[in-house]
Amino acid sequence: MTDKDMLFDYLLRLGDNSLILGQRLAEWCGHAPMLEEDLALTNIGLDLLGQARMFLSYAGEVEGNGRDEDRLAYFRDTKDWRNLLLLEQPNGDFAMTMARQFFFDSFQYLQFEALSNSTDERLAGIAAKSLKETTYHRRHSTDWIIRLGDGTDESHERMQRAIEALWGYLPEMFDMDAVDEAMVVDGIGADVAALRPEWDEYVNGVLTEATLTRPEDSWSVRGSREGKHSEHLGYILAEMQFLPRAYPDAKW
Amino acid sequence: MVALATYNQIENILALVKDPEIPVLSIADLGIIRRIETGEDGHPIIAITPTYSGCPATEVIEADIASMLKLHGITDFEIRMEISPAWTTDWITAEGRRKLAEYGVAPPANKGKAALLGQEEIACPQCHSKRTELVSEFGSTACKAQYRCLDCLEPFDYFKCV
């Protein structure tokens, strides 16, 4: 891979994370347990979509093959997507959605904080902007983990089940492959492996307050950096990409 | 340098462009106009910044600026979107804050990180009581949260600090 290829791949990871999670949250529109949450989830989804657009536009420019944000969002197949496996997992019940959101918000907060100091000015600008939004997202999902964990017997049980169901998807967030390493050496990217202790500290604190038990590290899956995804991504793309693929020249 | 007359003229025209979500505010009140400068061939460049990354009003605002300028006979201009430095509610003008409160939206309370971390004291825009409580971190738009006044019992929008 050339430097340019690596930066392109790195930006896809950031953009795809935001886009796929944003798309998942959009599925809650009109279905959330109450109106305030319907608004919250779609607002968060909108923030993520905005972040994805900035990352993917930049990725397209770096690649230099004339692909813009829409081309990258609508005309790539599963093997070319770089989002974390965690983020494509189905919404499940509200506990599952919140657990996924909480684990990722806690990670993204630290990652954006690190990327705000990137030597790549454009990336630093996107990260600094997005960090403000992620601060609110993390506050929101943290509140729900505590409310549901330290809530009724049923909400506690469901929350515990959700964090266990997702636990094995979390180690992938902190993986460093050749692209990550190269980005760190150049001062462009974040050393995500180094974020783990701070992430653990925050997450452990919230889980304790929520009276939840931190699961054992008994299993893990990974593969997104090589484009190996769970079956769920295909269904997400089918819904998200259908219109522009069926009607490539469609305009709003 | 944009000629002074043109600069003032553009500034006055931009003051007529309203925020599509909160129509009592002009985009100048919101602090999203970063600069007016001159391009290489002499045409004015208006640099604006989005409030939130995914704010759907951003593209509407861009289109509204363009049509307002054209309506006033200015056809040769460029609108540039800049994300850095990131927009902050500190850039909302004093006039903007006053208009927000009158409109029934509590203006952003504090500056800086304390506000972002939720250590805020929000006054009710109706009765000015400071006994208020958060209903939801997210309101009718990304930039607002929902609060309720514990004295007059009115629910209200709060323009979040970022």
Side-chain angles (χ1 to χ4, degrees), chain B:
Chain B
M1 211 24 223
V2 178
L4 203 56
T6 325
Y7 179 92
N8 286 340
Q9 192 193 357
I10 290 174
E11 215 175 25
N12 291 337
I13 296 168
L14 292 180
L16 302 173
V17 179
K18 302 296 179 196
D19 177 83
E21 303 274 8
I22 312 168
V24 290
L25 289 186
S26 78
I27 55 169
D29 293 330
L30 258 179
I32 63 176
I33 301 167
R34 302 314 302 149
R35 274 189 323 282
I36 303 168
E37 58 186 32
T38 316
E40 277 175 18
D41 61 355
H43 67 249
I45 297 171
I46 295 116
I48 62 173
T49 191
T51 53
Y52 281 72
S53 306
C55 183
T58 307
E59 280 159 27
V60 179
I61 288 172
E62 235 179 302
D64 287 351
I65 291 175
S67 53
M68 193 63 89
L69 287 170
K70 284 177 191 156
L71 191 69
H72 288 79
I74 298 174
T75 51
D76 184 24
F77 59 84
E78 190 186 330
I79 300 170
R80 201 173 280 173
M81 191 61 72
E82 292 181 356
I83 60 157
S84 194
W87 179 80
T88 156
T89 36
D90 295 349
W91 293 345
I92 299 180
T93 60
E95 174 73 358
R97 283 160 202 270
R98 192 186 55 74
K99 288 182 191 167
L100 270 176
E102 267 177 24
Y103 188 59
V105 176
N110 295 323
K111 289 191 174 186
K113 210 156 185 177
L116 204 54
L117 295 175
Q119 297 140 2
E120 308 161 284
E121 194 177 57
I122 317 300
C124 168
Q126 305 294 338
C127 73
H128 311 293
S129 162
K130 287 191 172 168
R131 292 200 332 120
T132 60
E133 68 174 3
L134 177 72
V135 176
S136 174
E137 292 279 5
F138 294 85
S140 54
T141 60
C143 55
K144 286 179 255 154
Q146 297 174 60
Y147 273 75
R148 164 166 52 219
C149 177
L150 298 173
D151 283 323
C152 75
L153 305 179
E154 279 290 318
F156 63 93
D157 270 340
Y158 165 59
F159 204 110
K160 295 188 282 212
C161 282
V162 294

Side-chain angles (χ1 to χ4, degrees), chain A residues 228-241:
Chain A
K228 293 174 188 156
H229 290 274
S230 61
E231 65 179 307
H232 306 296
L233 182 63
Y235 291 93
I236 297 176
L237 297 186
E239 184 171 12
M240 187 175 82
Q241 297 181 334

Side-chain angles (χ1 to χ4, degrees), chain A residues 74-93:
Chain A
Y74 294 132
F75 294 89
R76 275 183 301 146
D77 284 327
T78 49
K79 65 180 181 1
D80 296 322
W81 282 75
R82 295 288 179 267
N83 60 280
L84 294 164
L85 300 181
L86 170 71
L87 306 177
E88 68 201 34
Q89 297 313 304
N91 285 339
D93 61 9

Side-chain angles (χ1 to χ4, degrees), chain A residues 90-177:
Chain A
N91 285 339
D93 61 9
F94 188 68
M96 192 75 87
T97 292
M98 274 308 130
R100 184 185 63 199
Q101 193 68 33
F102 169 67
F103 291 139
F104 182 68
D105 289 344
S106 313
F107 168 77
Q108 191 68 312
Y109 178 87
L110 298 173
Q111 180 169 241
F112 280 153
E113 209 172 43
L115 289 175
S116 306
N117 299 316
S118 171
T119 52
D120 182 308
E121 274 183 34
R122 179 144 165 203
L123 182 53
I126 299 172
K129 173 114 200 115
S130 305
L131 177 61
K132 294 184 174 199
E133 295 156 2
T134 303
T135 305
Y136 274 105
H137 302 171
R138 188 178 73 158
R139 233 164 89 176
H140 171 259
S141 52
T142 297
D143 276 356
W144 274 113
I145 298 300
I146 296 167
R147 276 172 78 176
L148 294 175
D150 192 15
T152 64
D153 287 347
E154 182 174 358
S155 73
H156 175 87
E157 192 207 320
R158 284 202 191 196
M159 202 66 243
Q160 185 66 40
R161 210 187 304 152
I163 63 173
E164 279 165 17
L166 295 175
W167 198 252
Y169 292 102
L170 306 181
E172 190 189 34
M173 296 196 292
F174 304 99
D175 282 350
M176 295 285 290
D177 73 353

Side-chain angles (χ1 to χ4, degrees), chain A residues 52-88:
Chain A
R53 293 183 60 184
M54 294 191 284
F55 286 126
L56 294 183
S57 297
Y58 188 21
E61 288 170 39
V62 168
E63 187 195 33
N65 289 344
R67 290 203 280 184
D68 63 5
E69 50 180 288
D70 283 347
R71 196 76 210 167
L72 287 169
Y74 294 132
F75 294 89
R76 275 183 301 146
D77 284 327
T78 49
K79 65 180 181 1
D80 296 322
W81 282 75
R82 295 288 179 267
N83 60 280
L84 294 164
L85 300 181
L86 170 71
L87 306 177
E88 68 201 34

